[in-house]
Amino acid sequence: MTDHNAPLRKDEIQGDVIHEYDGIEEADNDLPQWWLGLFYACTLFAVGYWFYYHVYNVGPLTMEAYAKELADSVGEGGEVSEELLLALMEDPDAIAEGSALFVANCVVCHNAKGEGNIGPNLTDPYWIHGGSPVDIHRVIDQGVLSAGMPAWGSLLGPEKARQVTAYALTLRGTNIPGKQPQGELWSPDNGAEPGTP
């Protein structure tokens, strides 16, 4: 009986060479102990991480923690940025609060799904006062009195105005049939494009 793992020859660098095929030699050496220890430690860490963050939801995920950190920095007097508003879109708590605020305050003008009523359709790519996250926040926060849009920032406070903005951003691009498009076509790549339909 042939032992297929018997070494063909002993190489001083590779150790026991057990296979050779087309000039390619395969050695059968033990892995270094430091490498095995690191491998097992990383595997245990990955399993612990998965249970901590994804199974038991003990800690916040990266984007949730980042959104909270940005929101806290704005609460300390920082400026509202596109980065902050996009991060809030990834925070389920902020979106849930923004949705509740939208239902309580905005459905009269924008309908339940944002498809527009008295106010414009928030689900299409057309925006009257700019479609960037900062533009949308500015309209919610400061209002547009000439168009009948109240300044919600003074009524809701800064944090809730940001949450409503984050929720409104989740509506954008859902294209729910409703009120006809108003304003200018907006895309994140090139901002506003002229042309009201």
Side-chain angles (χ1 to χ4, degrees):
M1 180 162 199
T2 305
D3 182 4
H4 293 289
N5 288 326
L8 297 176
R9 67 181 180 83
K10 182 92 169 169
D11 185 87
E12 62 184 63
I13 295 174
Q14 298 181 79
D16 292 340
V17 176
I18 60 169
H19 295 111
E20 182 176 353
Y21 188 78
D22 284 347
I24 299 171
E25 296 179 338
E26 177 188 357
D28 185 24
N29 297 319
D30 293 331
L31 294 169
Q33 293 301 311
W34 67 267
W35 190 94
L36 284 172
L38 189 61
F39 174 76
Y40 294 134
C42 289
T43 302
L44 286 173
F45 175 80
V47 170
Y49 182 94
W50 180 66
F51 276 101
Y52 185 83
Y53 287 103
H54 296 285
V55 175
Y56 297 116
N57 297 317
V58 175
L61 294 174
T62 306
M63 286 306 293
E64 293 170 6
Y66 182 56
K68 183 177 181 340
E69 184 180 319
L70 283 175
D72 291 345
S73 71
V74 169
E76 296 166 359
E79 288 187 27
V80 172
S81 66
E82 182 168 330
E83 185 179 43
L84 164 69
L85 297 170
L86 293 176
L88 280 177
M89 285 178 63
E90 303 297 325
D91 181 355
D93 294 334
I95 296 302
E97 183 65 26
S99 174
L101 291 165
F102 186 88
V103 168
N105 299 293
C106 308
V107 295
V108 171
C109 295
H110 296 287
N111 271 341
K113 296 180 181 177
E115 68 270 28
N117 187 12
I118 299 167
N121 187 336
L122 303 177
T123 68
D124 64 27
Y126 290 87
W127 293 85
I128 300 171
H129 303 286
S132 75
V134 174
D135 290 335
I136 295 168
H137 178 268
R138 186 185 67 250
V139 169
I140 292 170
D141 187 52
Q142 300 171 7
V144 181
L145 295 180
S146 62
M149 172 73 177
W152 288 104
S154 58
L155 298 170
L156 299 175
E159 182 179 0
K160 291 183 178 182
R162 291 190 300 272
Q163 292 169 338
V164 172
T165 303
Y167 177 71
L169 288 168
T170 66
L171 298 176
R172 181 171 61 182
T174 55
N175 295 314
I176 296 171
K179 193 168 183 182
Q180 292 300 311
Q182 296 173 282
E184 297 180 339
L185 181 64
W186 184 89
S187 70
D189 297 331
N190 56 4
E193 296 177 359
T196 303

